[in-house]
Amino acid sequence: MFELVEDKIFSVDDIPDILEDALTNGIHTSNTKINYYNIVFAFDIETSNFTVSCDKDKNNKRSIMYIWQLAINGRVIIGREWAEFLHAIDLICNQLELNKNKRILIYVHNLAFEFQFIRKMFEWSKVFAIDTRKPIYALTTSGVEFRCSYILTNYSLAKLGEHL
């Protein structure tokens, strides 16, 4: 289905070429009016936690993202800033001409965690959650659908890798 490219890290600038290669897979049509690109996307962030002492709030906990990874058909794009990630998503949306009926799926293992970081970055048309702060999927108005691979499979990341 796709070739895993090991030992090579791609940048946001490589997205147009990566998508051009991936477009050979076409679009999966469904019985509904929604079509999904047959391209494998995955997203993950790495974070660090720390405590800030303030006059108002003693021991105020903070968390920051220090690196993000977006995989497109086995090619991993890495960035350090949220602006880079948003630019990557804009490039994808524009090149694939995404909309409410033409979408991509981006799998996130434990979307509940990443969603707390990205929830204010996008305009959401629908978020389906099983509990407070536990989304199964979240759909942006631009046609990007984030899905939680952990909830959908009930496998740890290691087990999921074994089964794939």
Side-chain angles (χ1 to χ4, degrees), residues 24-154:
T24 59
N25 294 327
I27 296 178
H28 171 72
T29 58
S30 63
N31 292 335
T32 65
K33 293 181 180 180
I34 300 168
N35 296 309
Y36 292 93
Y37 275 94
N38 191 19
I39 302 172
V40 178
F41 289 90
F43 175 68
D44 187 33
I45 63 173
E46 299 302 326
T47 63
S48 185
N49 301 310
F50 57 94
T51 303
V52 177
S53 294
C54 302
D55 291 339
K56 288 192 249 177
D57 297 322
K58 300 253 187 226
N59 299 326
N60 194 358
K61 290 189 93 174
R62 306 285 177 166
S63 183
I64 59 167
M65 177 276 302
Y66 62 86
I67 193 166
W68 59 264
Q69 307 93 50
L70 177 67
I72 305 173
N73 274 8
R75 288 162 171 81
V76 180
I77 298 152
I78 292 179
R80 293 268 185 193
E81 298 176 6
W82 284 116
E84 290 175 299
F85 174 66
L86 294 174
H87 179 60
I89 295 297
D90 283 343
L91 283 172
I92 293 166
C93 290
N94 290 332
Q95 186 167 348
L96 299 179
E97 299 176 343
L98 301 181
N99 57 50
K100 68 179 186 174
N101 296 320
K102 190 185 336 179
R103 303 179 187 170
I104 60 166
L105 292 175
I106 299 179
Y107 287 95
V108 182
H109 206 71
N110 194 10
L111 178 59
F113 182 77
E114 273 82 352
F115 191 73
Q116 296 312 306
F117 287 88
I118 65 171
R119 64 189 168 88
K120 294 182 180 178
M121 295 181 190
F122 296 99
E123 185 177 334
W124 304 98
S125 63
K126 185 175 185 179
V127 176
F128 181 72
I130 57 172
D131 203 349
T132 305
R133 296 190 173 123
K134 286 193 177 177
I136 295 176
Y137 69 86
L139 175 63
T140 69
T141 55
S142 60
V144 176
E145 188 173 326
F146 293 91
R147 288 194 186 175
C148 182
S149 57
Y150 178 66
I151 290 176
L152 293 171
T153 63
N154 202 27

